[in-house]
Structures are given as C-alpha cells and as structure tokens.
Amino acid sequence: MDVKSRNYLLMNRQALEKDIKTSYIMDRMISDEVLTLQEEEKVKQQNTQKERAAMLINIILTKDNNSYRSFYNALLHEGYRDLAALLQDGIPAISSGNGRSSMDGMTSYVKTILCEGGVPQRPVVFVTRPKLVDAIKQKLCCLGSDPGWVTVYGMAGCGKTVLTAEALRDHQLLEDYFPGGVHWVSIGKQDKAGLLIKLQNLCSRLENDSTLSQRPPLNIEEAKDRLRLLMLRKYPRSLLILDDIWDSWVLKAFDNQCQVLITSRDRSVTDAVAGNKYEVHVESGLAHEKGLEILSLFVNMKISELPEQANCLVRECKGSPLVISLIGALLRDFPSRWEYYLKQLQNKQFKRIRKSSSYDYEALDEAMSISVEQLNDNYKDYYKDLSILPKDVKVPTKVLCILWDMETEEVEDILQEFVNKSLLFCDRNGKSFHYYLHDLQLDFLTEKNRNQLQELHKNIVNQYKKYYKLNTPVPSQEDCMYWYNFLAYHMAGANMQKELHDLMFSLDWIKAKTELVGPAHLIHEYVEYSSILDQKNGTVRENFQEFLSLNGHLLGRQPFPDIIQLGLCQPETSEVYQQAKLHAQRETGAFYLEWINKKSLKNLYRLVVRPHRDAVYHACFSKDRQRIASCGADKTLQVFKAESGERLVEISAHDDEILCCAFSADGEFVATCSADKKVKIWNSRTGQCRCVYEEHSEQVNCCQFSNRSGQYLLATCSNDTFIKVKYSYNLMSQWKEEAFVQTWMSQEIHLLSEADTLEQLWDLNKKYCRNTMMGHVNSVNHCRFSPNDEYVASCSTDGTVKLWEARSANELKSIEIKDFFRNADDQPDDVEVLVKCCSWSGNGDMILVVAKNKLLLFDVKTCNLLTQVIVSHHSTIQYCDFCPGDELVAVALSHCSVELWNIKSLSKVAYCRGHMSWVHCVAFSPDGSLFLTSSDDQTIRIWETKKVCQSSDAVLKSELDVVFHNGEVMILAIYNQKHLQFINGNADSVNMQTAAQESTISCCCLSEDLKFAAFGQESGTIKVLRLLDGKVLKSREAYRTSVQRCRFTSDCQTLISSAHDSVIQVWNWQLSECVFLRGHKEAIKDFRLLENSKLLSWSFDGTVKVWNITTGSTEKDFACHGGAVLSCAVSPDGSKFSSTSADKTAKIWSFESSSVLHELKGHEACVRCCTFSPNNKLLATGDDKGEIRIWDILTGALLHFCSPVTVDEGEPTHGGWVTDLSFSPDSKMLVSSGGYLKWWNVTTGESLQTFYTNGTNLKSIHVSPNFKVYVTVDNLGILYVLQKL
C-alpha cells in the first residue's frame, strides 16, 4: 500500500474504529476479492464492535492499494460518507494499464475507473445474468460518441443497479467508448433542494484537484451549467450514470449534451429530454436454480445441503433478486429462521422482512409502496382495484373497461401510466393489450388492501352483471376467457354466496365454460370454493362435482356432447338430473332420452380425465398423492392435479411413443423413457428438461426412481437387454445434460463391444459407467427398486426375473418363470413366456410377478413360489401393482378391465369396468386409498380402493334378446357368463335368474309369447327353459363348437340355431325332431325368418341362401360378394333384400328375379350393417369407419351421409364401427349403434342426439315399434334401457 494511503488510514483510525460496523463493509470487500473469508471470520471473533473495526483496519494495513480503494468505496455506499471523505485524499493513483486481476479478469484500469467514478461494488453474493448485462453493453455502444440516453428500467428489486454496474466492468467498453471515465450518482426520490445537493456533490467530485475548483453552485441552473462545462472540458467522452430516477424533471438538470445511463422504474422518464434514446427492460424474475444458488452463497452451503424450506422460499420470492437477497442476508445472520421467513413470505408479512443489506429501503413493503405513493390520488384508486387480479394472468383491456365503466382509450392511458412506472406489465397480443402484475406486486397490494378486498371483488362482479345483464360472454369477445376462468373467483372473494351458487350450479354456465376450457378448472373451483357452496347444502356441490369428474373426458371432446343429455344420466336424486330434466322439458322439438334402468349402476371411480390424444401407456402418483404424471403414444408427458385433472405441465417430450414415466421420491422430477431410445429427466413443476440419456440402443421400456428422498437412483431397462442404474445424491446441481452426454456415449461404445448382454450402473456425479453386468438374453420389459432401494428386480421376455444389488450391480437371484407354465403332459410349455412386470410387497419380503394370465408370488430370500393365481382364461395381464397394505393386488387386463385380488385368500375382491380398450397400467397411491388405471381409450381413471372393494361383480354379455310386449320391455340377458337373467326393463328388476350352467352361455333368445327362453353354450349344447320358474324343459348336444345364434319361430315350437360351422339346425324341441340346412361352405354369419316357413341366411363364404325350414331344401342361392357377407335386411314389402360385405360394398337384390338391382359403392371400409326404411324408399348402410350412408332404393343413388361435422383428430365419426341401424316408423329418423348410440335426421343427415354409454362396442340396438324405447349392452356389460322423453 502506498505510504500516503497508509498514513491516511492511521491518521483517521480512531474515528473509523469508533463509528463503523464491519459486517456489510466486509461483504463489499469480499465481493471485491480483497478480503478472504478467513480474514472475515478473524474479525468476527472479536468481542466488541470497536475491536472488530480495529482488527479490520489492521488487516487492511497489511494489504495493497486495491484494499484501500475497496474500503473507501464500501464506506461510501454503506452510508459512512463523512468517514469516506476523511480518506478521499489518500486514494492512490493508478495508471490505465492493462494488468489483469487474477480472480475475475477485470483489469486494474477498470477497477480504478469504477472506483473513482463511485460505481457500486458487486454485492456480497452475485449471480450473473449475462443476457441482460450484454443488452446494456450493446445499448451503451449504440450511443457511440453522440450524446444520448440509455434507460435501464424495471420493477423494484429486479436488479437494475447491480446489472448496470456489472455492464461497466468491461475494459474494452470503457477504453473504446468512455475513455473520459464514468461518474455514478445515486438520485432516488428528491425534491429540488435534495437534487441541488446531489449536483453540488457531483460537481465537487469532478473538480477534485482541479484549478477550476470554486464555490458550490447556488441553484440548479448554475449547477447544470457547471456540470456541462466540467463534462465538456475535463471529462469529454465520459458516461454519467443516474441511478434510481423517479421524476422526469430531475433529468432536465442533466440534459447537457452528454452521454447518460439511467436506472428507473418509470420507462417514460426520458420523455422530457432530447437526444437519442435506448431502452433495456430488466425482467422481474430469476430462474429457480439461480435463486437457490444465491441462497446457498449467502448461507455458505452447497445447494444439496440446503434445508427443504429452500425450494419453497425461492418460489415464494417469485424470482425477485431483491427478495431472495434480503432473505439470504437475514438467514446468514439468523441461520435457524428458515421456517420463520418462509411463513412471513407466505403470509405476506413484508414488514417482518427488515433491512439487512445496503438496499435503500427499510423493509420490503417500503420498497414496493414508494412507487405507488408517487401516483396521484385518482390513479392510486385505480391501482388499488388491481389488488383482486388473479396471479399469473394477463388481463385484457376490456375487463378493466367493464370494471371502470370507461372507453378503451381512457383505460389504456391509465394503465400506460402504471406500465411506465414499472407498476404493471403490458403484453401486446395482436391488436389488443393484456396487462399483468408481478406476483410480489400483487402480494403487496393484496396485503395492503386486505380489509377492502371483499368490496373490490364485489365491485367487479356487480360491474360484470351490469354490463352483461342476463347474457354470457361469447368466444369472439376478448374478455370472454377471463370471465369464464375468474368470475367464480371474484364471487368467492366477495363472499357472494347466492351469486356463486347460481353460477356454479347452472348447466348453462357449465356447458359454456367446458366448451371453452374443459372441465378440470370447474372441478377445481368446486373444491376451492366448497366452504361457500356448502353453506346451505353440500350435497348439491357434490352432485355437480361428481358429474364433471365422471364425464369430464366426454366434455373435452369434439363434437361437444349435449350436456343436458349427460345430465339426464345422473341419479334421479341429483340436482344435475333435476336441472337437466327441466331443460329437456322446456326445449320443444328437442330429442332427449331417459336412462330408465340406471338405478342399479354405481360409479366406482372418482375422476376420469382424457389428457392425451392417443393411448396412455403409463401413469403414476406423486408421493404426496396431489399430482399424477402420464405419458403415451402422443409423445407427450402430462402432469395434472389428482383432485381435479387440471393440467399443470404439458411437454412434447420425445420423438416417439413414451412408454413409461416416474416421479422422483421428492416429487421434484419426472423421468420418461421412449421408443426413441432416450431417457429424459424433467422438472415436474416447470417442465424444464434437466437431462437426456442416450445410452440404450433400442426402445427403453421402463424407468423407475428409487423410493427414498435425498438421493436419486434411476433404473431403466430396454429391448437392448440392458438395465442401467443412474446414481446421484444431488440431481439439482449435478444433472447438467450438456456436460456429460458425450462422455457417456463414448464409454457406452467401449463397453457394449465387450459382450452382448450387459447391465450397467451409472454414477452421475462422476459421469461414467460404474459397472458392467451380464444378465438377460432378451428384451427387459420392467424393473423396480425394492422398498429399501437395496435391490432392483427386472423382468424379461427371456422368461426370467432377476434380482440385482443396486449399488454393486451384482446379480443375486434369477427365477425361471417359464418353469411354472406347463402343458397337459406336465412338460414345459413351448410358447415363449413373456414376463410383463413385477411388484414388491411393502416390506420387501415378497415379489409379485406377472406372466401371461398368471400372478406368481415369490419369497425374495428363497425364491420359492408362495402362491399363484390364474386371473383369466380369456385375456392376458398387462400390469400389476401391490397395494401398500400387502394384501390387495391390482391387475390390468387386456380386455378393458382391472381386477383386485386378495393375495392371501387368493380371491377376486373386485372387478373394475370403465375403460373401453386395453388397460396398460395400474398404480396405487402411496397410501393405498386410490388407484389409477390408464388405457388405449386415451383416459386415466382414478378409483377409490374402499369403494371398489365393496362393489358387486355383475356383468352382462352383449348377446341379448328383447321383446316389447304391452308397453313393457322384457329382456333376456347372459349374466356373469353362466347365468340367464329375465329382466323387466321398465322396473329395472330381475324376474328370473337361472342357476350357474356347467359351460359358458354364448347366445340366448325369447319366445314371442314370453313363455320360453332358449340359450346356446360354448360346449355346443342348446337348452330350452320355462321363464316362469327357470326349469330346463329340453336339452340337446347340437354342436361340437360354440353356439352363435338361436331364434324361436313364431309358433314357439321350433328353435333355429347356428354355430361356428356351415350348418343351420332347425329343432322342433317339442317333438324332438331336427332338420339340418346344409349348403354354405363357410361359417354362418346370421339368419332371419321370412314368411311361409322360409329362412334367409348369409355366410362368410359370400353367399346368401333362402331355405324351406320344413323340408331343409335350398330355394334360392345368391352369390352376393367376393368377401364375407356381414349383414342382410329385407324390405318391408318382402320383394327385396340388401346385403353388405367386407368387400366395402352393399347390394340390393330382387327375390323374384334373383338378380342384383343396385350395387352401392363408396364406403371406404367393411360395410357392417344395413336396414330398409318402413316407407320402402330408403336403405341405410353403416361401415367400420363410422360412416352411415342413405341410399335411394329405386335408383341406387346416394342421397347423403350421416356424420358429425367435426370430430377429434384420429377418432372415427361413430367412435368405431357402425354395428346396427333402425329407422323410425315415419322413416324420418334413424338410430345407429357403434362406439355409442346416435340419432339422425334422415332428411338432412344431421345428428339429433348422442348417448354416450359408459363402455363402447355396442353390437346391436333393439328398438320398440313406436321408436320410443331402445335397449343395448356395452362391452363393459352394462345394460341400457332408454326411453324418449
């Protein structure tokens, strides 16, 4: 240190030791890198303030000139201006050399310029924001040598000052553009006297050691002239920085043709001055990781060592650098107050966040309120109205026009004033403007106006009602989405119980809102505002919430379903049903249906969501049960709320189908794996991709995180036969994708060359492969950690399950699952045994394995088989999961259902029907109270375990017969495969049920007089029974294959049947005589009776035949199609019949001439069904693409199509095949079955109504003669008896 500088320190030592507090002075010196942390600790160890100051001065005396400058600058900026003045003349002079600092690359020239110019030092904790720093530099360069202004603007605490100072730490910038130096002046909120003092101080500083030195200027004008001369003569090409400008009149004092950079909250502050102008907008938020980094630096801890409150604190700070720094500084002094400061932020207690830095304001609320106080009184009231705006929402101008009852231009002028002062942000969206507040500003306003919030909410609701009266916004209006999303929020905030009740329990509102935004937000509102909605009667809210939860997947599709019709399917006690019925009765000419047998149906699921546009392959709960992650064939990852289905994150995650996803134990991350061979890790809250792994050479089938928080183990398995376990204690700080992907890839190539069947353990901290393992010899389908994370189980197509030690990757056990599949000779089955998945018991002692249709439970220690269960003979198991209680096991089956089994008693506890296609995944929530299922039908269903376990297992087959008799609907149905039920559809009651048969029943029929019933079995047996008591009257072993069709003649004495062969049997069951109709070359598709003992049959051989059932002879033979004949219909006058085929055509034939009258072409898929209109003029045909065509019988001309205007992308127009058709008696309406039921206007081809069944694949529709009652069964075995209202 120079002798002169040293002498000034010694000379003023007594004054310095008496007054200074060392804490923040040392912070600045550490940031300048002239003081070490060890030296800081040495100072802190002193007992008194004076002793600490003395120790600091002793340390400085041992250092160089930079220490002196740093100490001087710290005094200046920590408020010790008088003490700094004592040291000013001792500041050592340094030439503008290019010597570099060894630490930060900043030259001694830059340090000198900044120190002499009064530029603030870096904060104690500094995290760079390079994009913004570069933007400021770029604008400074734009000034060139011309006078002008650069405005760095943003809201309070966004880091304007720090970023500006950082931009000046650039040797090239200062040397090339500002060789005259930089001069920093902190302005703040000033009156004229205060501004004069600032100008006098600046002039005095610039005149230091100058012959121009003279008395201070006496007024602002004189000071302005003095400053102009100094800048022109002594400091040409220098930069003047005016920090924290509030008022435009202040700038006029500095408007003297020089180059000026200002920081301000007011963007428009330079409007009052002339010259070139440039702007840099400082965004208000830091990334979450940056926030954690700042906290870790303040408290001197690694990010991985931060307590769990750290993440919450950063989120509550809303990304504000100021708030995070204030909290960090406080925690440095009070390291045990993490929970305390988190609560203060959560409770908006900003006054408790007191000054703990060099920031100008005493508390956080003061920093934000100072801007508001500068507004005039009228504007303050308008700004107060913004207190009730929802967070993270951009509000269209029209909303505020309605609130303030003003024209658009007036409102925009007011809001621009707020925008200019960084009190509000504006987003230009096309021609309109949208405005929003930073979260901290909104928190501040909310807290400040807490006692007035209810009135403010009430005001906006009343203004809405005044503007819209009894109408609702339409989508073309810019404010439409705001009101649909937040009107209920404002009503709840105003505690307007009646208005909220009327709104939320209105089917009109529900219809309008769900059409625009889907059902999830409404479900969320029912949960959020339940305390208000339930004040009179909580049942009503539960009715509406359940209605949306169970029908939301339908309300999100196109064409949008009729919400009144959906409401009519609710229980009759439901308020939704009662409202829907009133609506239906009021609408004249509308077509609505009453589901008259719905009482017996109980919904077992809590929520149905449709987050994907294609099959959902996997879904899982977060550990807190609040969120669900899902993935599938649409290549997206979705994260949504488990309570409402409200989407939180949507990511286009991979280039191919995503096969699996998994939450980390702490819920912060989600892993995905895909057919694109990649594994990716995502931040579950922001959707940011954290890592990409590309080690696998084929599709990756499964990914699973370890079960314990605090470490991150990720296991993945693939068709390449490898299992990989990736390991890191600190995902947040260690998983940086770009740093190590290439390293891993090069290691992979080396390792994979050594053997064909390897498994690998990866260390993510050290970024290399820790182990190479040999194991499975075929695709690995699934892997799971044991509950204690010590082991990994893997399942493979090679027929084995292997257990591995997670850390060492050593193989511990291998179980040959194929040994448990043997043929009739007790020899190993030759068929490949694909082991699908496995699940550990809660204590880790047992492991459940799934292969084919079996559940196998093994003891982990001995590998002995404890028990096995054959779940189904008709479908394979796709997935399984152990309930945390270790007794229940859920299995997903390929035939659309899920079963719960008690693994101890080996009994099936429940049968869960609801999905319309294959179920790929089933997973329990961590507490076992819920489980979810995902399916090819694009839905995820959340079930209540207890509710499901208490349900009955009743399923009807789709084959049934119906007789409409004297106003009653009598139904014969196959119940649980081996029983017959005779059901009164009107009363929803079972009149008769048979005992279980020895073989599965495959078809059934009723006699017209309702005295007899017949059924065929898979064994080939046919039986006739009396309906009165269910007694079997006759039985006949008719076929060697399953009976497919049976039908009584009109005299009820003869039963006609067909099976999986080419022969029709005509059995007079009363006389025990049988006639065989032989002639078809392939299996019979179906038949129907004609008049005069004639029978029409059609076959897979492409022919149609007319038989005499008395003699058994063929009377007519039609070679109709090149492909299978799928259906036939007879015209009402009996002169014609139609045939449809797999060859995509339909034909109309003449019985008399045995010739084809018309060949109907145009269908693009198999034509599955046809029917004639009662007026004998029209023919309707339906195909497997969901298309219905109406033809003119006379000419064979196509009249029109029956199909919806719009459908969801990739979805057939009828939800699948059109399987059956029926005209109304007047030939003006048509009903069709397929994926659901639809009614059509025959004249126009327009859809009149759609009835969405719970399941799909409706094989037929039985229609009453008056076209008012309709009966069908879906693939879930649910019976629908529908009556036209």
Side-chain angles (χ1 to χ4, degrees), residues 553 556-557 608-620 628-640 645 647 649-653 656-661 672 933-941 1208-1211:
H553 62 299
R557 72 197 303 169
V608 184
V609 292
R610 189 174 178 234
H612 294 272
R613 308 291 292 182
D614 209 331
V616 188
Y617 292 146
H618 197 83
C620 57
I628 291 171
S630 64
C631 60
D634 64 0
K635 310 174 190 176
T636 69
L637 168 67
Q638 308 281 347
V639 180
F640 56 90
R647 182 176 286 131
V649 174
E650 179 178 16
I651 308 167
S652 295
D656 207 336
E657 296 181 337
I658 306 176
L659 305 179
C660 187
C661 59
T672 56
T933 54
S934 67
S935 165
D936 267 353
D937 65 10
Q938 305 177 12
T939 68
I940 296 168
R941 294 172 189 253
D1208 277 351
E1209 183 181 348
E1211 185 171 316

Side-chain angles (χ1 to χ4, degrees), residues 534-592:
D534 292 352
Q535 284 180 15
K536 287 186 177 179
N537 183 359
T539 305
V540 177
R541 193 260 311 161
E542 290 171 0
N543 291 162
F544 277 88
Q545 185 175 331
E546 183 180 75
F547 169 62
L548 281 173
S549 297
L550 303 184
N551 292 283
H553 62 299
L554 299 175
L555 294 170
R557 72 197 303 169
Q558 292 294 333
F560 193 84
D562 188 324
I563 201 164
I564 306 303
Q565 183 59 66
L566 290 178
L568 288 169
C569 297
Q570 297 303 293
E572 292 183 7
T573 56
S574 167
E575 178 69 21
V576 179
Y577 169 82
Q578 292 165 19
Q579 272 198 42
K581 190 153 189 178
L582 286 173
H583 274 76
Q585 290 168 344
R586 284 201 301 263
E587 291 188 32
T588 56
F591 190 94
Y592 288 108

Side-chain angles (χ1 to χ4, degrees), residues 396-645:
T397 311
K398 178 74 177 293
V399 172
L400 298 165
C401 291
I402 293 171
L403 173 60
W404 293 331
D405 198 10
M406 289 182 181
E407 295 296 324
T408 301
E409 292 75 12
E410 293 179 274
V411 170
E412 287 178 351
D413 288 345
I414 293 170
L415 297 175
Q416 190 59 42
E417 182 71 15
F418 301 151
V419 171
N420 287 339
K421 291 182 166 32
S422 298
L423 291 170
L424 188 67
F425 297 92
C426 178
D427 179 30
R428 189 187 296 270
N429 183 11
K431 294 181 180 179
S432 62
F433 294 96
H434 287 67
Y435 298 91
Y436 61 100
L437 289 162
H438 186 271
D439 283 357
L440 277 175
Q441 291 170 326
L442 191 55
D443 286 345
F444 164 72
L445 275 177
T446 303
E447 181 62 26
K448 183 178 180 181
N449 302 308
R450 180 169 297 281
N451 296 332
Q452 302 173 63
L453 291 180
Q454 188 167 321
E455 282 303 312
L456 293 173
H457 279 292
K458 186 178 290 185
N459 181 44
I460 196 171
V461 173
N462 289 335
Q463 289 296 105
Y464 167 85
K465 290 165 67 178
K466 175 183 173 183
Y467 184 86
Y468 280 107
K469 299 180 173 63
L470 298 177
N471 302 315
T472 53
V474 296
S476 59
Q477 296 169 306
E478 66 167 309
D479 61 325
C480 169
M481 293 300 293
Y482 181 86
W483 297 117
Y484 279 116
N485 279 315
F486 301 111
L487 183 57
Y489 158 77
H490 290 302
M491 287 179 173
N495 198 27
M496 299 171 79
Q497 183 190 348
K498 182 182 183 304
E499 288 83 353
L500 185 63
H501 188 282
D502 292 344
L503 183 77
M504 297 291 289
F505 301 151
S506 161
L507 283 179
D508 290 332
W509 178 259
I510 292 171
K511 178 179 185 295
K513 178 163 180 170
T514 50
E515 280 186 3
L516 284 173
V517 300
H521 191 261
L522 259 173
I523 299 170
H524 168 75
E525 288 179 328
Y526 285 122
V527 176
E528 185 78 8
Y529 309 135
S530 58
S531 59
I532 301 174
L533 295 170
D534 292 352
Q535 284 180 15
K536 287 186 177 179
N537 183 359
T539 305
V540 177
R541 193 260 311 161
E542 290 171 0
N543 291 162
F544 277 88
Q545 185 175 331
E546 183 180 75
F547 169 62
L548 281 173
S549 297
L550 303 184
N551 292 283
H553 62 299
L554 299 175
L555 294 170
R557 72 197 303 169
Q558 292 294 333
F560 193 84
D562 188 324
I563 201 164
I564 306 303
Q565 183 59 66
L566 290 178
L568 288 169
C569 297
Q570 297 303 293
E572 292 183 7
T573 56
S574 167
E575 178 69 21
V576 179
Y577 169 82
Q578 292 165 19
Q579 272 198 42
K581 190 153 189 178
L582 286 173
H583 274 76
Q585 290 168 344
R586 284 201 301 263
E587 291 188 32
T588 56
F591 190 94
Y592 288 108
L593 299 142
E594 183 88 78
W595 185 3
I596 59 179
N597 70 317
K598 64 190 172 191
K599 293 177 185 175
S600 58
L601 185 71
K602 293 181 180 178
N603 283 312
L604 303 179
Y605 31 85
R606 170 186 284 194
L607 179 68
V608 184
V609 292
R610 189 174 178 234
H612 294 272
R613 308 291 292 182
D614 209 331
V616 188
Y617 292 146
H618 197 83
C620 57
F621 285 97
S622 61
K623 196 167 185 178
D624 61 5
R625 211 190 76 172
Q626 299 302 306
R627 293 175 295 155
I628 291 171
S630 64
C631 60
D634 64 0
K635 310 174 190 176
T636 69
L637 168 67
Q638 308 281 347
V639 180
F640 56 90
K641 290 182 180 178
E643 182 73 41
S644 65

Side-chain angles (χ1 to χ4, degrees), residues 863-928:
C863 290
N864 291 335
L865 178 68
L866 299 177
T867 189
Q868 62 177 312
V869 179
I870 298 176
V871 173
S872 171
H873 291 285
H874 303 282
S875 62
T876 58
I877 302 174
Q878 301 298 306
Y879 207 83
C880 71
D881 196 31
F882 244 125
C883 185
D886 285 351
E887 287 193 9
L888 277 183
V889 172
V891 292
L893 301 171
S894 59
H895 68 220
C896 317
S897 64
V898 173
E899 294 180 357
L900 296 188
W901 286 76
N902 185 310
I903 203 66
K904 290 186 177 179
S905 64
L906 304 184
S907 60
K908 182 164 69 174
V909 176
Y911 177 84
C912 310
R913 53 186 182 176
H915 285 292
M916 301 183 189
S917 189
W918 277 34
V919 183
H920 288 288
C921 172
V922 58
F924 281 99
S925 62
D927 61 0

